[in-house]
Amino acid sequence: MPDTHRLDELRHPQVESYLDRAETPTALIPVGTTEQHGEHLAMGTDAFIPTEICERIAEDVDALVGPPINYGASDMHAGYAGITYLTYRTLATVVHDIAYSLAEAGFTDIVFLSGHLTNDWAAKVGANQASHDLPEENYVYAFPYWDALSGDDMEEYLSFDAGWHANIGETAAVMAIDEDLVDLEETAFDAPDLPMDIENPAALLDHLLIGKGAYYRISETGVWGDPSDATAELGEEYFETITHAVAELINTFQDVRDEIYQRQRPDRAQEQW
């Protein structure tokens, strides 16, 4: 294989060679957005981070990385200048069609790695629809990269303490990719005043962010958290943690799924299928 694992940078014979060689031909598809991240952070943040993760783990999971989906289900940011978004239905269809065509081309596993919270809702619908339409030996699934993190790591990167958007975690990660994409002099601190005495305050997130233009309701600056202490070095530490966790999750799923599915699938369900 050449140095790159980017599907769009490889020539057709190189892709054929990978598909012939790989035990589990896998495509990693970053799913991002083009949306505001305060005044200090590039609008492509939610695409840059999962793309970087996919490229870093490609060798460890023996995968090729497809071009990122740079538009996402981010209508909650509608109203800010330059926002470009897809409807949830459209994003689900895009995910379905990409997965179907990649499976048709010879990939057995297609993984959509999201960098934006509400992308996950649509991406999982699209992945599920593709799974219905593809042979049983194909696996299509989607998850946001932070789902692989432990509770402690999540607390430091994305949380009520660290913030949820354009915060120190996202800002540091982008700085590790390219410091020119960040202007720390423009950072602002903002956070909605949420009641923290309920059983699970994180359960409020989906409700707060649902609906067109919803982000204006919770943040005047477009930021949720304090990004001012972000550094490229901190971002590199985050990437080391995140990439290990995501690669481990994908590899573990590939290792155990056939045994688990075979053991837990009732014979009568096989007959119905």
Side-chain angles (χ1 to χ4, degrees), residues 121-145:
W121 307 345
K124 284 180 175 174
V125 170
N128 185 64
Q129 290 173 335
S131 296
H132 276 269
D133 295 339
L134 289 167
E136 189 177 330
E137 60 267 20
N138 288 112
Y139 296 92
V140 182
Y141 55 101
F143 64 97
Y145 64 83

Side-chain angles (χ1 to χ4, degrees), residues 13 21-22 27 41 45 54 59 78 81 92 94 108 114 123 125 132 140 148 161 168-169 174 186 210 237 254 261:
R21 173 195 60 75
L41 196 53
T45 290
C54 288
E59 185 171 355
V94 169
T108 62
S114 176
V125 170
H132 276 269
V140 182
D161 288 337
I168 187 171
V174 172
E186 297 294 332
I210 195 70
E237 291 179 16
Q254 291 181 345
Y261 283 3

Side-chain angles (χ1 to χ4, degrees), residues 1-258:
M1 284 290 291
D3 291 338
T4 183
H5 287 79
R6 284 288 297 256
L7 180 62
D8 51 347
E9 294 176 354
L10 294 170
R11 293 179 292 107
H12 179 238
Q14 294 171 313
V15 178
E16 283 189 319
S17 176
Y18 165 78
L19 292 173
D20 289 340
R21 173 195 60 75
E23 182 178 348
T24 307
T26 301
L28 306 175
I29 310 298
V31 188
T33 65
T34 301
E35 68 178 45
Q36 69 81 23
H37 277 75
E39 296 185 3
H40 69 286
L41 196 53
M43 293 179 63
T45 290
D46 288 347
F48 298 148
I49 295 174
T51 300
E52 182 74 10
I53 294 168
C54 288
E55 291 181 350
R56 290 187 181 213
I57 69 172
E59 185 171 355
D60 289 339
V61 301
D62 194 15
L64 298 186
V65 180
I69 302 172
N70 287 319
Y71 303 112
S74 56
D75 64 345
M76 75 286 296
H77 293 284
Y80 292 94
I83 304 305
T84 314
Y85 61 87
L86 304 177
T87 66
Y88 293 87
R89 180 177 297 176
T90 298
L91 181 56
T93 300
V94 169
V95 167
H96 169 278
D97 289 358
I98 290 173
Y100 193 93
S101 61
L102 285 170
E104 193 175 50
F107 290 89
T108 62
D109 287 40
I110 302 96
V111 185
F112 293 87
L113 190 69
S114 176
H116 176 76
L117 176 64
T118 55
N119 278 356
D120 190 45
W121 307 345
K124 284 180 175 174
V125 170
N128 185 64
Q129 290 173 335
S131 296
H132 276 269
D133 295 339
L134 289 167
E136 189 177 330
E137 60 267 20
N138 288 112
Y139 296 92
V140 182
Y141 55 101
F143 64 97
Y145 64 83
W146 53 83
D147 268 8
L149 295 176
S150 69
D152 289 342
D153 291 332
M154 184 73 174
E155 184 70 22
E156 183 178 340
Y157 184 78
L158 282 174
S159 65
F160 283 104
D161 288 337
W164 293 102
H165 188 256
N167 68 334
I168 187 171
E170 289 190 323
T171 301
V174 172
M175 291 178 74
I177 298 170
D178 185 351
E179 292 193 60
D180 289 338
L181 297 172
V182 181
D183 184 355
L184 286 181
E185 293 183 1
E186 297 294 332
T187 58
F189 171 78
D190 204 348
D193 186 17
L194 295 178
M196 301 301 292
D197 56 350
I198 64 173
E199 189 72 23
N200 180 17
L204 294 171
L205 289 177
D206 288 353
H207 311 309
L208 288 169
L209 296 175
I210 195 70
K212 190 173 181 179
Y215 209 84
Y216 274 116
R217 304 171 191 165
I218 63 173
S219 173
E220 294 182 6
T221 65
V223 175
W224 187 338
D226 182 3
S228 60
D229 290 332
T231 64
E233 292 75 20
L234 182 61
E236 190 61 37
E237 291 179 16
Y238 287 145
F239 271 126
E240 289 180 8
T241 300
I242 294 167
T243 53
H244 172 76
V246 172
E248 183 178 47
L249 179 61
I250 292 172
N251 281 329
T252 301
F253 175 64
Q254 291 181 345
D255 288 342
V256 305
R257 67 189 178 201
D258 291 335

